[in-house]
Amino acid sequence: ETLWTLDEKLYQGYRLEELDFEPLSRKDGSRTNVIRVSVKLCNEKTGSTYARSRSVACSHFVTEEDLERILTE
């Protein structure tokens, strides 16, 4: 389990608005070891937002038992 913390000074006034983790599946519906990580940052002073998503492969998770240990909620 990982506790995620972000210091406001590090992000130059941006505030973390969303942080989502979504497990990805194959076309046949079977599970994979790939997670989509999406982040949205907002700057209240300027009104600007920054949103990005990346797909991340969990290289140490390869068996079906491993995949069941990937929690995204």
Side-chain angles (χ1 to χ4, degrees), residues 1-49:
E1 189 171 317
T2 301
L3 176 61
W4 293 80
T5 60
L6 300 171
D7 187 298
E8 288 183 25
K9 292 179 185 177
L10 180 66
Y11 288 92
Q12 302 173 354
Y14 281 84
R15 177 177 51 83
L16 178 67
E17 187 163 298
E18 295 176 18
L19 178 61
D20 296 311
F21 301 89
E22 176 189 0
L24 300 182
S25 301
R26 293 183 178 88
K27 289 182 180 181
D28 65 4
S30 62
R31 297 177 65 151
T32 69
N33 66 336
V34 180
I35 298 172
R36 179 179 294 130
V37 180
S38 300
V39 64
K40 182 177 181 182
L41 303 173
C42 297
N43 188 309
E44 292 180 4
K45 283 184 180 179
T46 64
S48 63
T49 61

Side-chain angles (χ1 to χ4, degrees), residues 48-60:
S48 63
T49 61
Y50 175 85
R52 291 292 183 267
S53 294
R54 295 283 187 267
S55 296
V56 180
C58 301
S59 59
H60 295 289

